[in-house]
Amino acid sequence: AIRMTQSPSSLSASTGDRVTITCRASQGISSYLAWYQQKPGKAPKLLIYAASTLQSGVPSRFSGSGSGTDFTLTISCLQSEDFATYYCQQYYSYPLSFGQGTKLEIK
Amino acid sequence: EVQLVESGGVVVQPGGSLRLSCAASGFTFDDYTMHWVRQAPGKGLEWVSLISWDGGSTYYADSVKGRFTISRDNSKNSLYLQMNSLRTEDTALYYCAKDIYRGTYFDYWGQGTLVTVSS
């Protein structure tokens, strides 16, 4: 099974900041990676797929990059609605797997 | 509008059984792979199982293999998860999720149904 490891586990930032979250796969997964945003009490929301393709309707301040084993999610200018928990997910092979999550909090 | 509505979550004793359901609408259900994903209280997301569009292929997380069975009824636009030999560590919010097509990532999620395994 492929293990996904995110860093950091939590992050404090201010509105307007640029933040980057890292996701590392235990083996190469090409670009078969998705990112999700989850707010408290809500279901996850798809942000990015194929490592760098923005899902329809997602603001352009979100971007993704990487391939192989190392990936990043960047939010270029944090807005108040971006404070949430973010998860990466590999779909290179079964079982599908998620990272443990990164909680983005207001500083 | 795509809608996924889960039901069936209750409090059950360890060793017990439960069947979850997910009613789907707003898309052509039998075109898509479907999944169950769970989230223990205060924890992260864990993929549980998937079933192909025609029910011909299923996959499971190691943690539930041999205990859980995923199924679907395309005539009823419904997805199911039969959960047997439940353990306290199965306590979680169970989400039904639609695949973007054939077994990759998830573009729509339900709001979840809570399963509590406790004596």
Side-chain angles (χ1 to χ4, degrees):
Chain A
I2 298 175
R3 180 176 174 84
M4 306 301 293
T5 303
Q6 290 181 230
S7 61
S9 295
S10 64
L11 175 59
S12 294
S14 301
T15 303
D17 285 353
R18 176 186 178 93
V19 298
T20 297
I21 297 168
T22 297
C23 178
R24 176 164 289 175
S26 60
Q27 65 185 74
I29 59 169
S30 185
S31 295
Y32 296 105
L33 186 96
W35 288 97
Y36 301 86
Q37 176 193 67
Q38 187 180 33
K39 296 181 178 180
K42 300 295 186 181
K45 172 188 174 183
L46 176 65
L47 297 177
I48 287 170
Y49 59 92
S52 61
T53 303
L54 214 59
Q55 173 71 347
S56 175
V58 174
S60 58
R61 62 181 180 273
F62 290 91
S63 64
S65 66
S67 67
T69 59
D70 294 314
F71 302 85
T72 60
L73 171 70
T74 298
I75 311 172
S76 61
C77 182
L78 274 173
Q79 303 299 302
S80 58
E81 61 266 31
D82 300 335
F83 292 96
T85 300
Y86 293 85
Y87 295 93
C88 61
Q89 178 237 327
Q90 68 81 19
Y91 50 97
Y92 179 81
S93 68
Y94 302 138
L96 305 177
S97 50
F98 291 91
Q100 82 279 14
T102 295
K103 187 174 184 179
L104 179 54
E105 298 175 302
I106 300 174
K107 185 182 288 184
Chain B
E1 178 194 7
V2 171
Q3 285 198 319
L4 299 168
V5 180
E6 303 94 336
S7 61
V10 291
V11 178
V12 61
Q13 291 189 335
S17 297
L18 198 56
R19 188 197 199 202
L20 305 184
S21 300
C22 171
S25 61
F27 64 103
T28 305
F29 183 71
D30 56 11
D31 273 351
Y32 294 91
T33 292
M34 296 294 295
H35 302 258
W36 289 99
V37 178
R38 69 184 181 183
Q39 187 167 35
K43 303 296 184 183
L45 301 169
E46 179 187 15
W47 175 78
V48 173
S49 182
L50 74 80
I51 186 167
S52 61
W53 62 278
D54 62 350
S57 296
T58 58
Y59 293 89
Y60 298 91
D62 288 344
S63 58
V64 308
K65 200 174 296 181
R67 300 187 299 122
F68 290 9
T69 303
I70 192 171
S71 62
R72 65 191 295 161
D73 185 338
N74 287 344
S75 69
K76 295 182 179 180
N77 287 353
S78 292
L79 175 71
Y80 306 102
L81 186 67
Q82 178 66 43
M83 309 166 67
N84 298 333
S85 302
L86 282 162
R87 306 167 179 169
T88 55
E89 56 263 35
D90 295 319
T91 294
L93 187 64
Y94 284 74
Y95 291 105
C96 165
K98 173 186 168 292
D99 198 278
I100 57 99
Y101 190 44
R102 296 282 166 96
T104 53
Y105 55 92
F106 325 107
D107 57 354
Y108 289 95
W109 301 63
Q111 286 307 300
T113 188
L114 182 61
V115 173
T116 303
V117 184
S118 174
S119 54

